Amino acid sequence: MNKINQMWNGSGLSLRAGLLFHDLYTRDGLVQVDAIFLDELRASNASLYEHLLTARANSAALTPKQHSELIIELAPYLEDFIAGLFGIEKELLELQSRHSELAPLYAVKRRFIQRKALTGYTVEKASAIDGFAIGAELEAFMQEPITERSFANHVSRWLESEPEHTKPLQLASLYAAWATLSPQGKAKHGRGVLFKVPHKLDYHHLVSVQPLITDGLVRLELSSDHWRHREGFQLTDPGTDLTGALDQAHYCIKCHNQGKDSCSTGLKE
Ligand code: SF4
């Protein structure tokens, strides 16, 4: 345990309420942390505190949905508690403000693009749209170039007073259908998160490779636009950023609501 404390003390982090880092590695310590959390929860939301105690006493009485709703309701309190425990309130505020800046992306994607703009569109129909011309008209309304953030911010503002923004919303809708479904639109926006729709997965072909027969052997090859230069064993993929991570988290909410969250239940035959 001394090693643990030495490690954490070297990191410059400290815990409040007289807690030591090794408390996080013991049952008694965690019981203490939980008691502090419960005290804080009771002080800020007594009914939620009661709800949590009741649920803990008989968790089998909760349906999976009620269980999830309770977790979601508790999340902001737990988030603040953890920030307070580690003394990282300032960092949490900065992160929350970055989340807020990105919020229109996910709201516009779900409420405008997926629910409205794509309705009735097929790949063929979307490919018939002149996305570049529509984009130029849209940029005249936006008075700035189309990026995912600028598109989402403007559409979000226009949706607040739809009758006054019929024309730009029509253009935005056409543009979204083109960007999401047509090959040209995908080539322009395919690396982002906004103009995307969930698609069915073929679990036997998760990676789209083509078989090539050379020297009597079958070789599997990706299309050339997926080729990456490899040096040694380093990853060739830079991974995602906060925008991509939040996009995945928003998808998880949808997945969870549909009861398809196999990450928590396992895959059922
Ligand atoms: S299975 Fe789990 S991780 Fe995957 S999308 Fe669903 S909720 Fe998210």
Side-chain angles (χ1 to χ4, degrees):
M1 290 304 170
N2 280 341
K3 265 195 176 165
I4 290 169
N5 277 330
Q6 276 165 14
M7 181 181 84
W8 283 109
N9 291 342
S11 73
L13 277 172
S14 61
L15 294 178
R16 51 173 261 216
L19 289 164
L20 296 171
F21 277 103
H22 84 246
D23 293 328
L24 302 180
Y25 293 80
T26 66
R27 189 179 186 283
D28 287 348
L30 292 178
V31 168
Q32 216 184 328
V33 172
D34 183 54
I36 301 171
F37 171 66
L38 288 177
D39 276 349
E40 290 194 4
L41 182 63
R42 183 172 42 198
S44 33
N45 189 333
S47 67
L48 184 57
Y49 164 80
E50 294 295 340
H51 189 180
L52 175 60
L53 288 197
T54 311
R56 281 184 176 184
N58 186 8
S59 61
L62 293 180
T63 63
K65 190 150 174 56
Q66 288 169 329
H67 188 243
S68 303
E69 281 166 359
L70 177 60
I71 291 174
I72 289 171
E73 212 181 334
L74 284 166
Y77 296 94
L78 184 63
E79 182 173 66
D80 288 347
F81 172 74
I82 290 176
L85 180 66
F86 288 93
I88 51 169
E89 293 94 336
K90 185 170 153 277
E91 287 79 1
L92 176 67
L93 269 179
E94 282 167 10
L95 188 59
Q96 284 172 338
S97 95
R98 286 173 63 208
H99 281 215
S100 304
E101 281 170 25
L102 293 169
L105 269 183
Y106 313 109
V108 165
K109 177 176 178 175
R110 193 175 68 255
R111 294 196 199 128
F112 180 75
I113 299 182
Q114 295 184 345
R115 287 203 195 140
K116 291 187 182 171
L118 299 185
T119 306
Y121 273 93
T122 58
V123 173
E124 292 70 32
K125 202 170 160 193
S127 303
I129 298 169
D130 184 346
F132 294 104
I134 297 286
E137 277 190 73
L138 194 55
E139 283 178 343
F141 279 100
M142 292 166 55
Q143 302 201 330
E144 63 177 319
I146 295 177
T147 63
E148 293 207 332
R149 292 278 291 278
S150 67
F151 182 95
N153 288 339
H154 283 283
V155 170
S156 176
R157 197 168 42 77
W158 294 335
L159 285 172
E160 285 168 17
S161 48
E162 276 191 64
E164 288 139 50
H165 297 102
T166 321
K167 180 67 182 167
L169 283 170
Q170 271 172 0
L171 291 170
S173 185
L174 282 172
Y175 189 85
W178 173 80
T180 309
L181 298 174
S182 77
Q184 275 188 321
K186 284 183 183 178
K188 184 163 182 211
H189 290 287
R191 293 197 180 275
V193 300
L194 183 62
F195 302 108
K196 290 263 174 71
V197 269
H199 55 273
K200 282 208 160 163
L201 288 178
D202 176 351
Y203 293 106
H204 296 289
H205 298 98
L206 285 173
V207 182
S208 59
V209 286
Q210 303 297 327
L212 286 180
I213 299 176
T214 40
D215 301 328
L217 295 170
V218 179
R219 197 156 54 86
L220 300 176
E221 189 175 276
L222 282 167
S223 58
S224 58
D225 54 326
H226 280 90
W227 291 357
R228 296 179 193 154
H229 181 70
R230 177 178 287 283
E231 288 282 355
F233 292 96
Q234 297 296 331
L235 287 177
T236 56
D237 180 340
T240 191
D241 54 8
L242 182 64
T243 310
L246 289 176
D247 185 53
Q248 294 295 319
H250 278 84
Y251 183 73
C252 286
I253 294 171
K254 187 172 174 183
C255 173
H256 189 88
N257 275 338
Q258 292 173 343
K260 292 187 173 170
D261 49 330
S262 53
C263 58
S264 62
T265 60
L267 266 177
K268 292 169 188 155
E269 287 289 321

